[in-house]
Structure formats: structure tokens, C-alpha cells
Amino acid sequence: GTQGFFHHAKLDRAVEIAKKQSLPIIVLPEGGGGRPMDTDVPNLMSAGLNLGTWTAYSALSGAVPRVSVVSGKCFAGSAAIAGASDVVITTRASTIGMGGPAMIAGGGLGDVDAAEVGPLDVMTANGVVDVAVEEDDAVEAARALIGYFLGDEDSWEVPDQTPLREAVPDGERTSYELVPVVETICDEGTVTELRPDFAP
């Protein structure tokens, strides 16, 4: 939801725990950003969001996996958290923007619908979104990605490697499909293609 003083305190605490215990972190950023007249703290007449949340979250890069699952309207600070994640998973109805309709209108740029600000087709084409899924599949997609870091599982099976002999053509200038090669090298069901619509 919208971000306030205590909202950030809780998020900062979660980031601190993830770092100390080397835990993956999954965030579900959604909402319009910070509340301009935050009422979380008495006599605080601004959002009070000059905090280290984004720096601390970004500092987790390379230390723990960070996955964002966006399932609705994600603007301002929420979009910044999503953008700083290692992987961004969105649902088909999602929209992501550093400024939402209220900020755009407040800046004198007119009234726009939330769906027009950072629609999914634009975000996937621009490489902002790594994985786009249906609403009911978003959390499962995050689970699958985090599961890749768990190590060897008894249920994992190696596909037949024989097709690799012919998968890559001899000529250096000959194009070929890369995904089938990767899927053959990796254990079955352990490949998630990221950004398939970006720079094809």
C-alpha cells in the first residue's frame, strides 16, 4: 500500500533480517507511493521518507536473492523497490511507473488513468519486467525462482543430453535457438526465461 513512517521501519527491519540471516526476500510492492501528509507519527507534517530503505534494499544485491511480485498498480517508491530487485514478476493487469496519476496531475500534466502509466506491454518490451504471468501464478513463479537457490532436489531429473551434439551449428555466423540448449543442459523444469520480449 502507500508508504508511511512505520511502513518503512518494518521494511527496513525485514531487509536487515534478510541480510543477517542470508535469506531471500520477496516483496509485493503495490500502491501509489508515500503519503504526503503522513499521520503515522504525531506532529509529523510530511511523509518523513528521507530514509535508507532503498539503499539498504539495493545493498542486498549479490548477497541474497530479491524478487518483486507486482500484481496491481505500482508507483513511486513501490516501483523503486521493484526496480531494485533481481527479478520482477508481474501479473497481466499490472502497471508500473515512477509517478502515478496523482503525481502526474499534481505536476500539471493532466489526468491519466492508472492503466495508462507503465502498462505491461511497454514494461516487457523495455526490459523492466522479467516474468509476466497470470494473476494466480505470480506467487508460484516467485517460489519456483527462489527454489533454484535451494540446491539439489531428489525430484530433479537431467534430460537426455544427446540432442546437444547437434544443437549448436558448426558455423559461427549461423543463428540457432538458445532456449532449447539451455533447457537441455539444465535439470528438467528448472529454467525460467527472463525478459523474452526484450530486445529479441
Side-chain angles (χ1 to χ4, degrees):
T2 55
Q3 297 164 322
F5 185 86
F6 288 113
H7 169 108
H8 273 271
K10 291 175 185 178
L11 182 54
D12 290 347
R13 176 76 175 132
V15 168
E16 180 185 343
I17 291 170
K19 182 178 180 181
K20 281 185 178 176
Q21 298 185 15
S22 296
L23 297 171
I25 188 164
I26 298 174
V27 294
L28 290 88
E30 195 169 331
R35 293 190 291 275
M37 298 298 282
D38 196 350
T39 57
D40 285 356
V41 180
N43 302 319
L44 182 67
M45 294 308 293
S46 68
L49 298 182
N50 55 335
L51 306 166
T53 301
W54 295 279
T55 302
Y57 186 74
S58 297
L60 292 178
S61 177
V64 301
R66 300 163 304 153
V67 178
S68 282
V69 179
V70 179
S71 60
K73 298 169 183 68
C74 181
F75 301 122
S78 297
I81 288 289
S85 299
D86 297 309
V87 178
V88 179
I89 299 169
T90 63
T91 61
R92 303 281 178 206
S94 299
T95 181
I96 302 173
M98 285 309 297
M103 186 179 288
I104 293 169
L109 300 174
D111 295 328
V112 295
D113 187 68
E116 298 175 85
V117 183
L120 185 61
D121 60 336
V122 172
M123 296 295 108
T124 53
N126 289 343
V128 174
V129 171
D130 295 298
V131 180
V133 296
E134 299 301 329
E135 182 79 33
D136 295 340
D137 299 329
V139 173
E140 189 52 45
R143 239 187 229 127
L145 287 169
I146 294 296
Y148 295 157
F149 295 93
L150 297 178
D152 193 16
E153 293 286 327
D154 292 337
S155 61
W156 289 356
E157 293 183 16
V158 179
D160 178 16
Q161 302 291 288
T162 309
L164 289 176
R165 292 180 181 155
E166 318 233 335
V168 179
D170 291 335
E172 291 179 6
R173 297 173 189 263
T174 306
S175 65
Y176 60 95
E177 290 294 325
L178 182 61
V179 174
V181 175
V182 174
E183 288 177 340
T184 304
I185 293 171
C186 297
D187 293 308
E188 290 181 1
T190 64
V191 174
T192 299
E193 184 180 1
L194 304 181
R195 303 179 186 179
D197 299 326
F198 173 60

